[in-house]
Amino acid sequence: MTAPVEATVAPCLEWAWAGRPLPGEEVSGDLALAHPVGDGALLAVVDGLGHGAEAAAVATRAREVVAAHAGAPLDQVLATVHEALRRTRGVTATLAAVSCAGSLAWVGVGNVEAHVLRPEGGGVRRTTSAVLYGGVLGDRLPALRISEVELRPGDLVVMATDGIARDFPDHVPAGGPVARIAAAVLERCASPVDDALVAVARYRGPAT
């Protein structure tokens, strides 16, 4: 496992991700991004199909395109990534745009899961999940509809590739630094037969 990566991308967000390649590989095709946009940030997790150097290369290209177009509507960002990755093995990806006013817009193509988890009773409760559309960016782009939800201070936005067990929300600690949360979920839930990545953002509340 690589050391968790933390970044301050907006006054209202704590953000970090932790990942590791498939055991035996030197690089991972699972990558994350948090990019400042307006009064908030765009969060993204991309999963290059397969593993190894080719998966890492196409995921890196996808992340670069997302960063370059981070201020555009989410469906346009994904369409731009799709065009940029034609004739490659492609990626799956989920994008989440967080406003410090407390709104979250998100959508995914493929199987990068994303959930809002709310601290409650010493644990966390899943309140909502991103809608994921079948397809692969670079091969087949479905019609997309962006979903919007409201965030409360303390809410966690947790995103994970399919190298993380699907019950990972049950293993998310309620408190502690987001880097520690991401590392804990990775350690508990990573598959031994795939690249794996977890990204965690905590909404602090409206920026003052």
Side-chain angles (χ1 to χ4, degrees):
M1 183 183 77
T2 58
V5 177
E6 294 184 75
T8 300
V9 290
C12 62
L13 286 178
E14 303 168 23
W15 181 86
W17 64 267
R20 61 115 179 94
L22 170 72
E25 296 285 358
E26 295 185 358
V27 292
S28 176
D30 293 0
L31 298 177
L33 169 74
H35 196 285
V37 176
D39 71 337
L42 175 65
L43 313 177
V45 170
V46 300
D47 181 348
L49 268 61
H51 51 82
E54 290 188 21
V58 73
T60 298
R61 176 59 180 149
R63 185 169 63 176
E64 292 171 347
V65 175
V66 171
H69 298 84
L74 299 184
D75 53 348
Q76 291 185 21
V77 177
L78 290 174
T80 303
V81 173
H82 176 67
E83 291 301 321
L85 298 186
R86 288 190 181 276
R87 294 178 296 279
T88 72
R89 63 175 57 198
V91 304
T92 60
T94 293
L95 307 182
V98 178
S99 163
C100 284
S103 65
L104 167 67
W106 55 359
V107 67
V109 174
N111 51 14
V112 176
E113 294 195 19
H115 308 284
V116 172
L117 305 179
R118 183 162 294 159
E120 188 174 274
V124 295
R125 176 176 62 87
R126 188 184 330 189
T127 66
T128 188
S129 303
V131 176
L132 306 181
Y133 293 87
V136 175
L137 299 175
D139 177 49
R140 182 171 64 88
L141 179 65
L144 302 175
R145 177 176 294 180
I146 311 303
S147 301
E148 295 189 9
V149 299
E150 295 300 315
L151 296 175
R152 295 182 185 176
D155 281 354
L156 299 174
V157 181
V158 185
M159 309 167 73
T161 63
D162 66 344
I164 299 295
R166 294 196 66 184
D167 67 347
F168 74 86
D170 297 335
H171 301 275
V172 174
V178 290
R180 188 181 302 165
I181 294 173
V185 175
L186 180 69
E187 181 177 1
R188 296 171 186 172
C189 301
S191 167
V193 295
D194 201 357
D195 299 334
L197 183 143
V198 180
V200 181
R202 177 183 284 118
Y203 175 62
R204 296 173 173 169
T208 57

